[in-house]
């Protein structure tokens, strides 16, 4: 019982991270019908920026307890950095290819991905060494359920992720700008005929998606602290699993991305705990194949009318 | 921008050219839509009617010539800016947002407006004009019939309070009864003060409601003049009115 609860808690935490990243894949797909393969790398940059900002502010592993605002400052800086990065990626890598064949854009996305990984490895950027993220949040136990310790970090991960998803839902379905996003996702030209400035909506989509990926990166660094070097394969794999989450949920569908993220997180953790810890990546891809066999458009793909 | 007195040109095309890659779709069209009038653009499939409207609303770039609106050249502006100038384009195939409710479609049509009350009043006008839209207000537009979608598309285009309405084949694929309704509404919208550029395959109906007409054939104007004159012209009758 304790084991199962602990596993579910882990699944919930990692699933929230996948969901946050998956939202960026699905938003961009909804608006431009292409897979931004560099999105996983934006997540990596988000995690590393959190580390770099923390270090620049003087918070290190050895430095004692940081003040309460440290986590907030680091989170916001990291989101800001990635928001700007997302803006520039769209503006200079993808916009010139707006009317080019899909394949060209896809290849460009892979190029951007490699560029981010390898730029991240440069000495003045993040360097080639793995680092440990200092604990910006105290390691307090909030409560215990059936022997499972629920710590501040876990609760922060889940609550912050949920808050951002709720915020995004509100933005997309309850605001004027959200209507513009949904209109553009249906048809760029008809959206333009409504007076919507399509390029602005597309830029904004990248900005929001990248900021969410940065938040996921920050939370990842909070929870796991060990950051592999920027070009390490673990980042690629994390990004890939988040992409799988978006596909499993139904690419282009916001609720689908969140559901897919949680599902992937749970399956990965349950498999690791009860089958074999060495095959945790395998379960994710088996789930992908299973879902696509029975529902090629993903769980929420074709049934839902609301798409972004 | 200056106001245009009735009878003066609101929109003028001067030697307009449009290319789609190597395809020369519009080969030097000149026409003038006067304030307060309905001008209909008729012609067979592929004549370039939709392309002309797309050039005006900046969905495609004109490769030559001038588009004058209220006397100012407007090519080079983005499509959303053209809407802001008071030109609404109700596109071929209606283009309602299927996942949006009827009401949301109308609201997004007023995207550039901030006057909440005015927008509500205009939604009310649309519902009065097409009562079926009121019944379907909360229904996704994708579930409407073709005729209902056309009514919604026209109403949505009016939500930006345009001075000039570009209508692309509003009668396409509709039952005769619904076509009658749509044309009656077009006349009503025009009487209320909106200048209309109407693209139609149904030349018979179009020439009845329009003041002026232009016949397009493979990218050039082959006849133009008062709609009543064109309706009587033997050539137009033979080619576009099935000889009736
Ligand atoms: N996106 C495009 N790419 C290439 N050629 C195009 C494109 N759109 C239209 N054309 C060509 O331009 C010409 C004019 O097309 P357009 O759609 O303006 O005709 P139309 O008069 O509206 O015809 P219809 O009555 O069938 O709607 C046609 O020969 C068409 O094949
Ligand atoms: Mg056409």
């Amino acid at each position: 019982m304790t084991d199962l609860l602990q596993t579910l808690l882990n699944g919930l935490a990692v699933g929230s991270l996948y969901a946050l990243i998956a939202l960026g894949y699905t938003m961009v797909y909804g608006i431009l019908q292409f897979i931004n393969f560099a999105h996983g790398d934006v997540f990596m940059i988000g995690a590393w920026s959190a580390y770099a900002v923390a270090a620049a502010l003087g918070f290190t592993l050895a430095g004692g307890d940081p003040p309460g605002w440290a986590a907030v400052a680091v989170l916001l800086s990291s989101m800001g950095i990635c928001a700007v990065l997302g803006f520039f990626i769209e503006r200079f890598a993808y916009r010139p290819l707006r009317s080019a064949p899909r394949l060209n854009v896809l290849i460009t996305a892979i190029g951007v991905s490699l560029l981010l990984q390898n730029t991240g490895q440069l000495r003045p950027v993040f360097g080639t060494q793995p680092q440990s993220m200092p604990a910006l949040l105290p390691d307090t136990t909030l409560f215990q359920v059936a022997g499972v310790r629920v710590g501040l970090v876990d609760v922060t991960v889940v609550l912050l992720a949920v808050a951002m998803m709720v915020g995004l839902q509100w933005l997309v379905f309850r605001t004027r700008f959200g209507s513009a996003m949904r209109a553009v996702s249906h048809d760029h030209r008809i959206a333009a005929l409504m007076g919507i400035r399509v390029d602005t909506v597309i830029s904004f989509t990248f900005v929001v998606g990248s900021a969410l990926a940065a938040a996921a990166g920050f939370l990842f660094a909070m929870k796991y602290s060990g950051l592999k070097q920027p070009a390490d394969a673990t980042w690629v794999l994390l990004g890939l699993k988040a992409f799988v989450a978006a596909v499993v949920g139904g690419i282009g569908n916001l609720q689908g991305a969140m559901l897919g993220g949680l599902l992937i997180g749970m399956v990965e953790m349950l498999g690791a705990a009860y089958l074999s810890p060495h095959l945790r990546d395998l379960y994710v891809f088996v789930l992908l194949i299973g879902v696509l066999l029975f529902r090629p458009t993903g769980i929420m793909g074709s049934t839902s009318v609301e798409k972004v | 921008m200056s106001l245009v007195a009735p009878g003066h040109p609101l929109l003028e095309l001067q030697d307009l050219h449009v290319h789609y890659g190597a395809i020369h779709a519009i080969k030097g069209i000149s026409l003038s839509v006067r304030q307060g009038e309905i001008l209909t653009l008729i012609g067979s499939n592929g004549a370039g009617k939709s392309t002309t409207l797309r050039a005006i609303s900046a969905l495609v770039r004109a490769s030559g010539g001038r588009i004058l609106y209220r006397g100012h050249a407007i090519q080079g502006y983005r499509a959303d800016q053209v809407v802001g100038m008071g030109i609404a384009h109700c596109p071929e195939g209606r283009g309602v947002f299927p996942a949006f409710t009827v009401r949301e479609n109308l609201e997004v049509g007023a995207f550039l407006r901030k006057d909440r009350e005015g927008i509500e009043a205009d939604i009310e006008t649309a519902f009065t004009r097409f009562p079926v839209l009121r019944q379907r207000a909360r229904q996704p537009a994708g579930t409407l019939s073709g005729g209902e979608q056309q009514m919604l598309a026209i109403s949505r285009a009016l939500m930006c309070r345009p001075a000039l309405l570009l209508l692309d084949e509003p009668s396409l694929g509709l039952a005769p009864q619904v076509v009658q309704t749509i044309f009656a509404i077009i006349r009503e919208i025009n009487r209320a003060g909106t200048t209309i550029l109407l693209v139609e395959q149904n030349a018979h109906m179009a020439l009845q409601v329009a003041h002026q007409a232009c016949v397009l054939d493979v990218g050039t104007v082959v006849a133009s003049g008062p709609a009543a004159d064109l309706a009587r012209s033997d050539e137009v009758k033979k080619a576009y009115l099935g000889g009736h």
Side-chain angles (χ1 to χ4, degrees):
Chain A
M1 182 63 189
T2 306
D3 275 0
L4 180 63
L5 264 182
Q6 183 65 57
T7 306
L8 291 178
L9 181 66
N10 291 344
L12 185 64
V14 71
S16 308
L17 298 184
Y18 288 145
L20 275 182
I21 309 170
L23 285 170
Y25 281 110
T26 225
M27 282 166 74
V28 166
Y29 185 85
I31 290 218
L32 291 174
Q33 279 76 48
F34 101 98
I35 307 298
N36 176 16
F37 271 114
H39 186 64
D41 304 284
V42 174
F43 158 71
M44 175 276 288
I45 300 279
W48 270 99
S49 302
Y51 169 81
V53 171
L57 291 174
F59 309 127
T60 53
L61 275 183
D65 280 353
W69 54 265
V72 180
V74 170
L75 169 66
L76 293 182
S77 316
S78 166
M79 287 175 77
I81 289 168
C82 286
V84 172
L85 181 66
F87 175 86
F88 281 109
I89 291 174
E90 190 278 326
R91 182 65 190 77
F92 294 107
Y94 301 146
R95 190 175 301 179
L97 299 174
R98 195 68 65 68
S99 52
R102 246 352 95 69
L103 187 61
N104 300 21
V105 191
L106 204 64
I107 292 167
T108 305
I110 293 169
V112 172
S113 164
L114 292 173
L115 181 73
L116 292 180
Q117 290 173 20
N118 291 290
T119 310
Q121 300 257 86
L122 293 178
R123 196 195 306 266
V125 187
F126 306 125
T128 54
Q129 296 306 308
Q131 298 288 356
S132 286
M133 183 77 186
L136 298 179
L137 295 168
D139 186 26
T140 38
T141 302
L142 290 185
F143 50 89
Q144 289 211 320
V145 193
V148 176
R149 194 184 84 89
V150 180
L152 179 62
V153 172
D154 290 315
V155 171
T156 307
V157 168
V158 174
L159 284 190
L160 203 59
V162 168
M164 291 196 174
M165 290 185 236
V166 170
L168 184 68
Q169 284 284 311
W170 173 81
L171 173 79
V172 171
F173 293 103
R174 290 276 172 276
T175 68
R176 200 175 98 90
F177 199 85
S179 312
M181 291 174 78
R182 288 182 292 141
V184 170
S185 101
H186 174 65
D187 189 316
H188 292 199
R189 296 176 140 214
I190 295 173
L193 292 182
M194 302 298 109
I196 294 166
R197 192 170 173 178
V198 175
D199 281 340
T200 306
V201 171
I202 294 173
S203 288
F204 187 77
T205 304
F206 274 82
V207 164
V208 172
S210 303
L212 292 178
F218 166 83
L219 294 173
F220 176 86
M222 288 291 93
K223 180 147 174 64
Y224 300 104
S225 92
L227 302 185
K228 293 282 175 55
Q229 58 270 39
D232 191 87
T234 51
W235 296 112
V236 177
L237 201 56
L238 285 166
L240 206 55
K241 285 188 214 164
F243 168 60
V244 168
V247 173
V248 162
I251 189 107
N253 185 295
L254 290 182
Q255 285 101 328
M258 301 181 212
L259 184 73
L262 288 179
L263 201 61
I264 294 284
M266 290 292 178
V267 165
E268 181 177 352
M269 288 304 166
L270 287 170
Y274 295 101
L275 297 173
S276 157
H278 303 297
L279 298 175
R280 41 192 289 182
D281 303 330
L282 182 71
Y283 312 130
V284 170
F285 294 103
V286 168
L287 177 73
L288 172 69
I289 293 166
V291 168
L292 291 189
L293 273 181
F294 295 102
R295 285 193 70 97
T297 54
I299 295 171
M300 306 195 59
S302 55
T303 48
S304 164
V305 271
E306 296 277 31
K307 287 195 174 186
V308 144
Chain B
M1 277 184 177
S2 54
L3 284 173
V4 176
H8 285 68
L10 180 64
L11 177 85
E12 272 184 280
L13 306 182
Q14 297 177 345
D15 192 29
L16 181 73
H17 290 261
V18 178
H19 285 81
Y20 290 109
I23 300 169
H24 197 176
I26 301 291
K27 304 166 185 165
I29 289 183
S30 298
L31 60 82
S32 157
V33 188
R34 287 188 298 207
Q35 171 77 38
E37 289 191 344
I38 301 179
L39 183 142
T40 185
L41 204 54
I42 54 180
S44 45
N45 290 113
K49 306 181 295 295
S50 300
T51 302
T52 305
L53 296 193
R54 284 186 210 124
I56 297 167
S57 59
L59 289 182
V60 300
R61 190 165 291 282
S63 47
R66 302 217 295 165
I67 303 170
L68 299 178
Y69 176 65
R70 297 183 195 276
H72 299 269
I74 59 165
Q75 52 297 28
Y77 285 95
R78 294 187 312 269
D80 57 286
Q81 293 175 311
V82 172
V83 178
M85 295 172 193
I87 301 179
H89 181 170
C90 182
E92 191 169 24
R94 297 145 200 154
V96 299
F97 296 112
F100 284 36
T101 65
V102 167
R103 182 171 246 285
E104 285 172 330
N105 265 281
L106 294 172
E107 283 168 350
V108 80
F111 187 77
L112 291 175
R113 290 170 61 186
K114 299 279 189 304
D115 55 324
R116 237 358 291 175
E117 282 166 23
I119 294 172
E120 282 306 317
D122 286 359
I123 290 179
E124 191 52 39
T125 307
F127 285 167
T128 311
R129 188 174 276 149
F130 298 114
V132 64
L133 294 184
R134 190 195 301 278
Q135 293 163 25
R136 305 270 188 270
R138 292 160 169 278
Q139 209 166 300
T143 65
L144 300 184
S145 76
E148 290 161 354
Q149 289 192 15
Q150 187 61 62
M151 297 173 195
L152 177 57
I154 294 175
S155 304
R156 185 183 62 179
L158 289 172
M159 287 302 295
C160 68
R161 293 207 174 159
L164 173 66
L165 176 61
L166 312 176
L167 278 176
D168 199 342
E169 302 212 27
S171 75
L172 191 72
L174 304 185
Q177 200 66 46
V178 185
V179 173
Q180 294 290 344
T181 314
I182 297 279
F183 274 99
I185 295 289
I186 292 172
R187 192 174 261 145
E188 181 195 309
I189 291 167
N190 174 249
R191 292 223 173 99
T194 309
T195 306
I196 298 177
L197 176 48
L198 170 67
V199 160
E200 260 302 335
Q201 291 267 346
N202 189 338
H204 191 68
M205 291 292 292
L207 290 173
Q208 277 181 25
V209 299
H211 304 96
Q212 297 289 322
C214 246
V215 182
L216 220 57
D217 192 36
V218 285
T220 50
V221 175
V222 292
S224 66
D229 293 0
L230 261 73
R232 279 192 297 272
S233 132
D234 288 336
E235 271 172 66
V236 173
K237 268 190 198 163
K238 214 165 78 195
Y240 303 103
L241 297 175
H244 305 305

